[in-house]
Amino acid sequence: MEGCILLVLGIGLLHTASAVTHSLKYFYTASSEVPNFPEFVVVGMVDDVQMVHYDSNSQRAVPKQDWMNKRTDTQYWERETGNFLGSQQTFKIDINTLKQRFNQSGGVHTWMRMYGCEWDEDTRVTEGFDQFGYDGEDFVAFDLKTKTWIAPTPQAVITKHKWDRNMGFNENMNNYLTQTCIDWLKKYLDYGKSTLMRTVPPLVSLLQKTPSSPVTCHATGFYPSGVMVFWQKDGQEQHEDMENGETLHNIDGTFQKSVHLTVTPDKWKNNKYQCVVQVTGIKEDFIKVLTESEIQTNWGKTNRGANDPNTTGSALIIGVVVALLAVVAVVVGVVIWKKKSKKGFLPTSTSDTDSDNSGKGVQKT
């Protein structure tokens, strides 16, 4: 079950990190018969930074960032707690309904919801999404264009027809995803701007386990998460013999990413290979030229410090562990996102998750 739970150019082209895209995402997870794991968990994230947490054990919504605690009041958290408690009750009913629908009696099962919005700071383009998954597979998703639900499995058709008939709810859902959610995203960005809007340059290291292993370009400690890491050979970007790693969280809230290059010593000694790192919001490129003195190895190297392989390896392990813990907390690694675009922004004066006003509450399956 842990596996299930743990289940994003050449010369002449301008090669830069992607534009700053901000996001507000909520993840609801109901589970059954999972040892040492709450039956219901809610995680709220702004730009992939957790700012709200709720679980069925504590039955309290709590801030996970100082700036959320400072900029919100007691009423805000009481509303959040009430809304999450209502969702917890609905999700508990849902998971029993779905087990019957899939002809399942007992065992470990998960019922998940992922919803939220994104806003491109440069183009002002917005996107909204709302998707449910059962046991790690897509179950039903909201289509912003038609304001109806998409059912990818036969067992979801009943839910689709039921939810499609609730046109008022779907209209409110559309308004939330395209307007209210964007409004709250901008509010939260303002609340945490000293943290969320900062830029931190990367520490770049070249690592190699053995003389015959791929050379890894490891960039760590950067913020925000938007990054391009790529190898160049004699000024041209390499597309072959490359393996891109995922962008992972570090324990201090920054990010890391690795790109592996398979190349023989003869090739990199007779050609100019270099790793280029570009971070969103930072104009400077960070470059490491592949030379014998730059490679940090697990054999014969005694240089210690920021680029020490043991230090960097530890940071990598920590980042992986933190990333896995985050996935466990929200149980979303097994859900495929389906996002549709829609512009819009309107002010709101209530809690982000206040279903009476936001229009993004939950329905029974």
Side-chain angles (χ1 to χ4, degrees):
M1 178 55 202
E2 290 181 5
C4 177
I5 295 181
L6 291 175
L7 298 154
V8 130
L9 299 180
I11 294 177
L13 294 180
L14 180 62
H15 203 324
T16 58
S18 58
V20 178
T21 300
H22 300 288
S23 62
L24 173 60
K25 304 170 187 175
Y26 284 92
F27 306 96
Y28 292 16
T29 302
S31 59
S32 66
E33 300 186 30
V34 180
N36 303 317
F37 194 76
E39 289 186 347
F40 184 71
V41 176
V42 176
V43 172
M45 306 183 79
V46 177
D47 285 359
D48 296 324
V49 174
Q50 185 181 358
M51 48 87 174
V52 174
H53 177 87
Y54 171 93
D55 64 60
S56 53
N57 291 344
S58 66
Q59 297 194 0
R60 294 295 303 174
V62 295
K64 300 301 289 184
Q65 300 295 326
D66 289 340
W67 45 265
M68 277 295 289
N69 194 37
K70 293 177 181 178
R71 297 295 299 271
T72 53
D73 56 21
T74 302
Q75 290 183 339
Y76 174 93
W77 294 105
E78 289 178 350
R79 285 195 301 267
E80 294 290 86
T81 296
N83 293 324
F84 295 150
L85 182 59
S87 297
Q88 174 185 326
Q89 295 167 347
T90 300
F91 270 55
K92 186 173 183 178
I93 295 172
D94 286 348
I95 203 166
N96 289 326
T97 300
L98 291 171
K99 284 193 290 186
Q100 295 176 13
R101 199 174 295 177
F102 282 85
N103 295 320
Q104 298 164 335
S105 55
V108 172
H109 300 285
T110 57
W111 172 232
M112 301 157 284
R113 182 190 188 189
M114 174 181 65
Y115 71 91
C117 56
E118 295 182 346
W119 168 59
D120 189 299
E121 191 176 303
D122 295 330
T123 65
R124 308 297 174 181
V125 171
T126 64
E127 294 185 351
F129 47 92
D130 190 7
Q131 179 169 334
F132 292 77
Y134 182 66
D135 283 354
E137 299 292 338
D138 286 345
F139 185 79
V140 66
F142 189 66
D143 187 335
L144 283 174
K145 291 183 179 180
T146 63
K147 300 177 186 178
T148 59
W149 294 87
I150 300 170
T153 64
Q155 291 86 351
V157 173
I158 297 174
T159 299
K160 166 186 165 52
H161 291 325
K162 181 179 179 180
W163 290 3
D164 281 350
R165 288 194 295 268
N166 196 344
M167 291 182 288
F169 179 92
N170 294 337
E171 186 66 39
N172 288 337
M173 172 64 70
N174 182 79
N175 291 337
Y176 172 79
L177 294 176
T178 61
Q179 300 169 8
T180 307
C181 183
I182 301 298
D183 180 38
W184 274 97
L185 169 56
K186 293 180 179 180
K187 283 188 179 185
Y188 293 139
L189 288 172
D190 180 62
Y191 291 174
K193 59 185 175 183
S194 62
T195 298
L196 300 173
M197 307 298 280
R198 76 190 191 280
T199 56
V200 182
L203 172 66
V204 183
S205 304
L206 302 183
L207 311 174
Q208 192 175 32
K209 292 181 180 180
T210 70
S212 59
S213 299
V215 179
T216 296
C217 179
H218 180 64
T220 187
F222 58 86
Y223 193 93
S225 62
V227 68
M228 294 291 296
V229 183
F230 54 96
W231 282 94
Q232 288 182 339
K233 174 186 176 183
D234 296 332
Q236 297 187 33
E237 183 180 351
Q238 284 288 100
H239 294 284
E240 298 179 353
D241 302 320
M242 294 263 300
E243 181 182 353
N244 285 287
E246 298 292 331
T247 301
L248 302 175
H249 289 266
N250 286 325
I251 196 168
D252 62 356
T254 60
F255 297 88
Q256 62 175 287
K257 183 179 177 66
S258 295
V259 177
H260 314 288
L261 173 67
T262 300
V263 60
T264 64
D266 288 341
K267 277 190 176 181
W268 63 258
K269 288 179 181 179
N270 294 322
N271 297 275
K272 184 180 179 181
Y273 281 86
Q274 63 183 21
C275 175
V276 182
V277 180
Q278 300 171 339
V279 178
T280 298
I282 301 179
K283 295 181 179 180
E284 177 186 0
D285 288 354
F286 301 88
I287 299 174
K288 279 284 185 180
V289 179
L290 178 54
T291 63
E292 189 171 1
S293 61
E294 283 289 355
I295 298 177
Q296 302 298 310
T297 71
N298 287 331
W299 77 94
K301 297 289 185 178
T302 58
N303 181 34
R304 305 303 295 267
N307 286 331
D308 174 58
N310 295 320
T311 302
T312 308
S314 297
L316 178 61
I317 293 172
I318 290 173
V320 171
V321 170
V322 171
L324 291 179
L325 289 176
V327 174
V328 170
V330 299
V331 196
V332 296
V334 290
V335 181
I336 301 172
W337 293 17
K338 296 185 180 76
K339 295 176 281 187
K340 305 293 182 179
S341 299
K342 189 75 176 180
K343 296 181 179 179
F345 171 76
L346 290 176
T348 182
S349 59
T350 187
S351 163
D352 171 33
T353 55
D354 189 338
S355 59
D356 290 338
N357 296 279
S358 71
K360 56 100 217 126
V362 293
Q363 306 182 82
K364 294 180 182 178
T365 56

